[in-house]
């Protein structure tokens, strides 16, 4: 009797509405295409570009200010190690970092100042190098990182992930060789962020929800970057009207590749064993099957424990500042160096030249310009988008930018996280998986692109 009353309470109308209404709003904000001033896009794109139109002059200055705070704060904490930083989770995460990352932040801040004031040679701050990165790329990221941090809880914190994950569990194990509860990780990556999905996977592996092989499959096959970042990429390469097709292509490509990778080397070489310190109770319960009613209960329980609007806004702001302080200086340095090398040296053309015959065979327009972007995604997923922005062919821009997302493994974030975690993957395995993903993804994306553009 107590169990039935508890289920009735969990599935009560107020809790169902508390789960349903925010989830629907999240779907409308992130997943449903609308016609906007810049062409068809999702609601976050419409809101983001409205903000940029109103504050275009302030955004580059804001980016530089954030990089200065990031660098100066990290240097101060490194020298003085104040207790008020050590005892604060957000400040500790944002500012207690290694000497290498302090150097990266300092270089990013110096670059930002030089670009704003046009100091030094023009190749440093020009409109095709540092100026492009600061005024267009980072200004866009600043806005979309903020909006994603504020509004993604509508998708992630009110039960949608739990409900959909429960519905997926019956196909994940036989088809993708991963357990049903990994649906939460997958959806958190697709709707939230690939790095978040990777962190969740590592923690779930340590607790005993996955074996080492299952954790490796999830981290290298399903940790796709967020919807909001894909919107940034699509808008940056001048294809906002293609976003629904772009994201559909990326997801379908990853799902197709996911049918193959778990069944071949190097993933098959990873022991299918649980973490040595895994909770034995969790391991014993891993075979339990969940029904739709159980999924609804999990969803409403999640909604019932979700924070109120004020707390949710506070968490969103903290997340936005954390992302700004950590990632904006890194992107500033990597993207600026890449653009300077692309503009002043032929290094990327040399690197891409062996791929030109392959791209030509696939009948990709402007193969010489596209080739350098094919393998640069291993360094950072945004570099191919930066390099292909000047390509005239919309089809080629679509292919290279979609490929950079579907490649999934990039060392500036996900690769480093995997190697630092307990997931049993090393650098050479990650490089092998990146190459295999690239070889498989390219013809799939070309087929999608031909359907859209020809």
């Amino acid at each position: 009797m107590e169990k039935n009353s508890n289920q009735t309470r969990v599935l009560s109308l107020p809790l169902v509405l508390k789960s349903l209404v925010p989830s629907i709003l999240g779907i409308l904000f992130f997943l449903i295409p609308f016609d906007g001033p810049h062409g068809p896009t999702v609601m976050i794109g419409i809101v983001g570009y409205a903000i940029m139109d109103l504050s275009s002059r302030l955004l580059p200055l804001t980016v530089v200010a954030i990089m200065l705070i990031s660098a100066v704060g990290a240097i101060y904490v490194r020298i003085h190690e104040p207790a008020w930083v050590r005892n604060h989770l957000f400040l500790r995460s944002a500012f207690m970092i290694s000497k290498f990352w302090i150097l990266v932040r300092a270089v990013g801040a110096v670059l930002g100042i030089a670009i704003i004031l046009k100091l030094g040679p023009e190749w440093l701050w020009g409109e095709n190098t540092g100026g492009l990165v600061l005024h267009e790329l980072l200004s866009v990221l600043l806005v979309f990182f903020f909006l994603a941090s504020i509004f993604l809880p509508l998708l992630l914190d009110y039960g949608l992930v739990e409900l959909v994950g429960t519905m997926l569990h019956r196909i994940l194990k036989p088809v993708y060789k991963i357990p049903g509860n990994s649906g939460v990780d997958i959806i958190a990556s697709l709707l939230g962020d690939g790095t978040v999905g990777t962190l969740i996977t590592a923690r779930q592996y340590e607790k005993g929800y996955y074996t080492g092989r299952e954790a490796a499959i999830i981290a290298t096959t399903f940790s796709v970057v967020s919807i909001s970042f894909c919107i940034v990429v699509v808008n940056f390469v001048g294809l906002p009207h293609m976003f629904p097709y772009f994201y559909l292509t990326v997801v379908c490509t990853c799902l197709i590749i996911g049918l193959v990778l778990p069944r071949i080397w190097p993933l098959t070489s990873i022991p299918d064993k649980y973490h040595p310190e895994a909770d034995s109770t969790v391991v014993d319960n891993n075979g339990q099957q969940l029904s739709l009613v159980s999924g609804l209960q999990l969803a409403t329980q999640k909604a019932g424990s979700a924070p109120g609007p004020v707390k949710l806004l506070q968490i969103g702001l903290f997340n936005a500042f954390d992302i700004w302080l950590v990632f904006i200086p890194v992107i500033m340095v990597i993207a600026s160096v890449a653009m300077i090398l692309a503009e002043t040296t032929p290094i990327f053309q040399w690197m891409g030249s062996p791929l030109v015959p392959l791209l030509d065979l696939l009948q990709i327009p402007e193969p010489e310009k596209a080739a350098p972007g094919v393998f640069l995604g291993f360094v950072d997923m945004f570099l191919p988008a930066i390099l292909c922005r000047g390509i005239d062919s919309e089809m080629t821009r679509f292919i290279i930018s979609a490929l950079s997302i579907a490649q999934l493994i990039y060392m500036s974030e996900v690769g480093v996280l995997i190697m630092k975690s307990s997931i049993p993957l090393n650098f050479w395995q990650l490089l092998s998986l990146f190459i295999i993903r690239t070889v498989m993804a390219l013809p799939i994306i070309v087929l999608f692109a031909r359907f859209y553009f020809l």
Side-chain angles (χ1 to χ4, degrees), residues 180-204:
N181 51 25
S182 62
V184 175
D185 303 42
I186 296 168
I187 297 168
S189 294
L190 291 172
L191 302 182
D193 185 78
T195 56
V196 173
T198 302
L199 290 173
I200 293 173
T201 301
R203 289 170 186 164
Q204 296 287 74

Side-chain angles (χ1 to χ4, degrees), residues 33-34 37-42 45 49 230-246 394 397:
F34 296 92
H38 298 269
T41 184
V42 290
Y49 277 91
C230 286
I231 293 171
V232 172
V233 171
V234 168
N235 282 280
F236 186 76
V237 298
L239 298 171
H241 56 289
M242 295 297 297
F243 175 73
Y245 308 105
F246 179 90
E394 285 194 353
R397 278 181 275 144

Side-chain angles (χ1 to χ4, degrees), residues 217-414:
I217 291 170
I218 297 165
T220 60
T221 308
F222 294 104
S223 295
V224 184
V225 297
S226 67
I227 293 173
S228 55
F229 199 90
C230 286
I231 293 171
V232 172
V233 171
V234 168
N235 282 280
F236 186 76
V237 298
L239 298 171
H241 56 289
M242 295 297 297
F243 175 73
Y245 308 105
F246 179 90
Y247 201 69
L248 176 66
T249 299
V250 169
V251 171
C252 289
T253 301
C254 290
L255 291 177
I256 294 169
I257 293 173
L259 295 171
V260 179
L261 284 188
R263 294 170 168 84
I264 63 174
W265 182 89
L267 290 177
T268 54
S269 67
I270 298 171
D272 201 23
K273 297 179 179 179
Y274 289 99
H275 192 278
E277 300 177 7
D279 186 333
S280 59
T281 305
V282 172
V283 172
D284 292 339
N285 290 333
N286 277 343
Q288 182 179 0
Q289 298 293 311
L290 295 175
S291 65
L292 179 60
V293 173
S294 300
L296 288 169
Q297 290 173 356
L298 289 173
T300 53
Q301 285 173 348
K302 179 73 172 181
S305 62
V310 175
K311 183 65 175 177
L312 208 61
L313 179 61
Q314 182 184 23
I315 294 171
L317 290 172
F318 274 130
N319 289 337
F321 280 111
D322 186 45
I323 292 171
W324 284 348
L325 293 169
V326 173
F327 290 115
I328 282 181
V330 176
I331 296 171
M332 177 85 245
V333 174
I334 293 176
S336 295
V337 170
M339 291 309 300
I340 290 168
L341 290 175
E343 284 291 310
T344 60
T345 73
I347 185 169
F348 292 136
Q349 282 70 31
W350 293 344
M351 291 172 58
S353 58
L355 296 173
V356 172
L358 172 62
L359 301 186
D360 197 32
L361 180 65
L362 293 171
Q363 298 181 346
I364 298 174
E366 302 179 74
E368 295 84 2
K369 294 182 179 179
V374 172
F375 286 122
L376 277 177
F378 187 63
V379 179
D380 184 85
M381 62 141 88
F382 209 86
L383 290 183
I386 292 175
L387 290 176
C388 79
R389 194 182 188 210
I391 295 175
D392 294 328
S393 169
E394 285 194 353
M395 178 176 164
T396 303
R397 278 181 275 144
F398 181 95
I399 291 170
I400 297 301
S401 53
L403 178 65
S404 70
I405 305 297
Q407 287 168 325
L408 195 145
I409 300 166
Y410 53 103
M411 295 308 296
S412 63
E413 291 179 37
V414 168

